[in-house]
Amino acid sequence: MSFPKGFLWGGATAANQYEGGWNEGGRGPALTDYTTGGSVKESRKVTWIDKDGQGHATNQVPFDDALPEGGVKYACLDGYLYPNHEGTDFYHHYKEDIALFAEMGYKVFRMSISWSRIFPNGDDEEPNAEGIAFYKDVFTLLRQNNIEPLVTMHHFDTPIALVYKWGDWQDRRYIDAFVKYAKVVFTEYKDLVKYWLTFNEINNTLSCINIFGGNISDEDYAKRMTHLHYQFVASAKAVKLGHEINPDFMIGCMLSGMVTYPHTCDPKDIQENQWSMEENFWYCGDVHVFGEYSPFAKRLWKAHNVKLDITEQDLKDLKEGTVDMFTYSYYMTNNVTTHEVEDKVAGNYSAGIRNPYLTYSDWGWAVDPDGLQYSLEVIYDRYRIPLMIVENGLGAFDTVEEGDVIHDGYRIDYYIPHIEAMGKAIDNGVDLIAYTTWGCVDCVSAGTGEMRKRYGFIYVDKHDDGTGDLHRGRKDSFFWYQKVIKSNGEDLSK
Ligand code: BGP
């Protein structure tokens, strides 16, 4: 097993869960600022006030009512915690955190830019100079430490001002707003950042309905397809523009690695799984990589009465803005079946059917390193462009012992076979160029809003009730990953 020379080892984060400083430095609010804390049992809520000023906390985002005529306003209500506001405060700790990444030997660090820190209202005339300067400092410091920034441009955090105008990506004016934002960040950071990702886990829009159960109306399905179409075109136009600004840019798409298996060998399950992979994964991947919708897209549109607003120009833009690399998150696999299954797992983001060959995390996520090798090989076989695993890891409870010591051997036990799986895929011909583990420094969980679901090599003193002094600490896994990087993946011993 050998990782290529220059393999990019590192870690990954996202502004909405890590950066904090939500109302500092001229930043405008984003969708994720109105999401409360939660847990596996009690889902996160979105809070808002209706036209009579009455506060609500609901699971569903009232996007349509938030349009100008609806009178709904997103609002932070008393009695709720909004963990994303502070995240784990990269905004004020970036120097310290980058020093820790450098100490671990990172070659790459994945983070996202908060769109509303650059354009507080999403489409202002002029960008926010303080926001531009903040990321410039961060990227410069990363470079000084020989760490390549890998930058996501949209990680769940659409500026709220745009949601009020155009709903949740329900208007094609989003495309120009995103391209304008892309132009500013590409131009400002063209000599500091080479690796870019457009939309984080773009396929969640579809896979969250299918994998996690739930029937939705054709109308809702059509909205999700519209949302995706505008994001596909926005991404393609940004990719094309990025290459004009700096031909050395490597710009990728980012998908949630929602890899599924047929639960039985019943041919009907094989078919079900194929369709699941098409709808939840290949639908988005194919548009990004091939620059056109796949033949099966027509079947999905027909089944749900979807009439998409696709122009000739869109088709041209999609063709001209294909990505340079394919990146995805990989946490687990899920099973699909046409049969009734009684053995279920409870967990956020988990399909529910228990795979008897796998173990499960405390949050009900299947631990499946073989699935990582399998996904790498299947995806590379289809696309033949460089791949990156840009999220992977174990969300777990950590115990802080005397002297700030954290023995997280379970985390190391999770990583070892996953790294071995990547090595085997590389040996089998896959062009994998990077690995960034999720939440390399503890941050707020996207799914549950918890702090106690920790992924980091770096501990942050912050808790579910909002307390904690935010000091940083090194877990056992910190020293282990340092050794892994130093040996370029040769030495995985504990
Ligand atoms: C992915 C997101 C990340 C991250 C991760 C872990 O879906 O891109 O933002 O949070 O999942 O999920 P969670 O935080 O729910 O454990």
Side-chain angles (χ1 to χ4, degrees):
M1 185 182 89
S2 47
F3 284 86
K5 204 165 163 274
F7 186 80
L8 296 168
W9 297 94
T13 58
N16 81 87
Q17 291 153 264
Y18 174 47
E19 185 175 286
W22 80 294
N23 56 4
E24 292 177 64
R27 180 186 179 279
L31 203 46
T32 38
D33 292 323
Y34 300 97
T35 315
T36 67
S39 66
V40 175
K41 292 201 181 92
E42 181 73 49
S43 67
R44 305 188 77 178
K45 302 279 187 290
V46 180
T47 55
W48 47 282
I49 46 173
D50 60 28
K51 56 182 181 328
D52 302 320
Q54 184 65 38
H56 300 269
T58 54
N59 289 331
Q60 285 291 329
V61 184
F63 282 119
D64 291 347
D65 295 335
L67 292 170
E69 61 274 18
V72 159
K73 283 265 175 246
Y74 286 80
C76 297
L77 304 178
D78 288 345
Y80 291 94
L81 280 176
Y82 297 88
N84 298 47
H85 286 181
E86 184 181 52
T88 41
D89 203 23
F90 180 61
Y91 195 66
H92 298 107
H93 289 78
Y94 69 93
K95 292 186 179 147
E96 185 184 347
D97 288 359
I98 292 172
L100 288 164
F101 302 149
E103 189 181 328
M104 261 188 284
Y106 277 19
K107 312 285 181 217
V108 63
F109 173 59
R110 178 177 175 223
M111 55 180 278
S112 73
I113 292 181
S114 157
W115 180 348
S116 60
R117 192 176 289 291
I118 301 295
F119 287 108
N121 295 294
D123 63 347
D124 312 65
E125 284 279 295
E126 295 298 324
N128 168 30
E130 223 176 319
I132 302 268
F134 169 68
Y135 294 112
K136 191 161 272 176
D137 270 3
V138 169
F139 299 146
T140 305
L141 197 56
L142 286 167
R143 286 238 154 266
Q144 284 167 355
N145 283 280
N146 299 315
I147 301 172
E148 288 278 354
L150 165 61
V151 178
T152 318
M153 296 159 70
H154 182 279
H155 197 123
F156 306 152
D157 49 0
T158 303
I160 206 73
L162 297 186
V163 177
Y164 287 140
K165 287 206 280 194
W166 305 327
D168 182 23
W169 288 83
Q170 294 303 305
D171 191 304
R172 65 164 53 245
R173 281 174 288 183
Y174 263 112
I175 298 171
D176 285 347
F178 184 79
V179 173
K180 180 175 173 183
Y181 158 57
K183 187 173 182 185
V184 167
V185 295
F186 285 155
T187 309
E188 288 289 340
Y189 310 129
K190 70 177 188 320
D191 300 322
L192 293 169
V193 178
K194 170 177 173 168
Y195 297 100
W196 298 89
L197 306 178
T198 51
F199 292 90
N200 182 66
E201 294 192 337
I202 192 167
N203 57 327
N204 279 354
T205 304
L206 285 183
S207 62
C208 282
I209 342 170
N210 295 307
I211 307 234
F212 312 125
N215 290 318
I216 62 163
S217 64
D218 282 355
E219 195 194 352
D220 192 4
Y221 193 89
K223 280 185 181 164
R224 287 168 190 252
M225 287 291 192
T226 296
H227 171 121
L228 282 176
H229 180 68
Y230 294 149
Q231 291 195 339
F232 290 151
V233 179
S235 172
K237 289 184 81 162
V239 170
K240 187 174 174 219
L241 177 71
H243 289 146
E244 285 160 15
I245 292 172
N246 184 346
D248 289 339
F249 279 173
M250 288 280 285
I251 312 176
C253 55
M254 197 296 194
L255 270 74
S256 166
M258 277 301 158
V259 180
T260 52
Y261 298 145
H263 190 58
T264 75
C265 52
D266 179 348
K268 292 207 167 40
D269 276 10
I270 308 300
Q271 177 75 85
E272 186 73 9
N273 185 53
Q274 151 122 334
W275 285 356
S276 161
M277 284 299 292
E278 285 179 355
E279 188 171 17
N280 302 321
F281 200 74
W282 307 127
Y283 182 86
C284 294
D286 288 4
V287 178
H288 281 301
V289 181
F290 301 138
E292 60 187 29
Y293 281 101
S294 289
F296 60 75
K298 290 209 179 76
R299 172 172 57 76
L300 297 174
W301 297 337
K302 197 164 165 219
H304 297 276
N305 293 312
V306 177
K307 304 252 174 317
L308 276 182
D309 161 34
I310 304 181
T311 65
E312 284 301 313
Q313 185 61 42
D314 289 349
L315 296 177
K316 193 164 171 280
D317 290 335
L318 291 177
K319 257 295 175 239
E320 290 174 356
T322 55
V323 292
D324 305 310
M325 56 188 189
F326 187 95
T327 88
Y328 65 106
S329 59
Y330 179 84
Y331 292 94
M332 61 187 146
T333 49
N334 281 291
N335 286 10
V336 296
T337 185
T338 55
H339 298 266
E340 279 301 313
V341 176
E342 279 178 14
D343 196 6
K344 298 260 173 85
V345 211
N348 72 308
Y349 288 156
S350 173
I353 301 168
R354 183 180 296 277
N355 182 333
Y357 301 97
L358 302 177
T359 57
Y360 286 81
S361 79
D362 289 328
W363 275 263
W365 293 19
V367 177
D368 183 10
D370 293 326
L372 175 55
Q373 182 184 350
Y374 167 75
S375 64
L376 283 165
E377 294 183 6
V378 170
I379 293 168
Y380 188 65
D381 199 30
R382 189 176 184 110
Y383 294 138
R384 308 289 169 92
I385 55 175
L387 305 186
M388 287 184 174
I389 295 295
V390 293
E391 289 183 29
N392 172 237
L394 178 72
F397 299 103
D398 288 332
T399 309
V400 186
E401 294 175 25
E402 189 69 29
D404 244 7
V405 170
I406 297 161
H407 296 304
D408 59 342
Y410 39 88
R411 186 164 287 115
I412 299 172
D413 291 340
Y414 175 95
Y415 279 123
I416 291 173
H418 283 86
I419 293 177
E420 284 170 348
M422 292 190 299
K424 287 185 213 157
I426 291 170
D427 284 350
N428 217 3
V430 172
D431 185 12
L432 177 68
I433 60 170
Y435 179 58
T436 58
T437 66
W438 175 251
C440 52
V441 39
D442 290 344
C443 60
V444 177
S445 158
T448 65
E450 290 167 299
M451 266 314 302
R452 64 188 188 146
K453 187 181 190 190
R454 294 177 183 274
Y455 286 88
F457 300 125
I458 299 168
Y459 173 79
V460 180
D461 185 55
K462 163 120 194 230
H463 309 282
D464 284 344
D465 60 1
T467 60
D469 65 12
L470 294 164
H471 78 261
R472 277 51 178 158
R474 298 168 182 79
K475 304 182 192 177
D476 285 358
S477 57
F478 179 102
F479 302 103
W480 171 81
Y481 197 48
Q482 187 180 49
K483 196 175 60 176
V484 171
I485 297 177
K486 193 156 182 224
S487 66
N488 198 27
E490 294 273 309
D491 185 359
L492 302 181
S493 63
K494 241 171 143 178

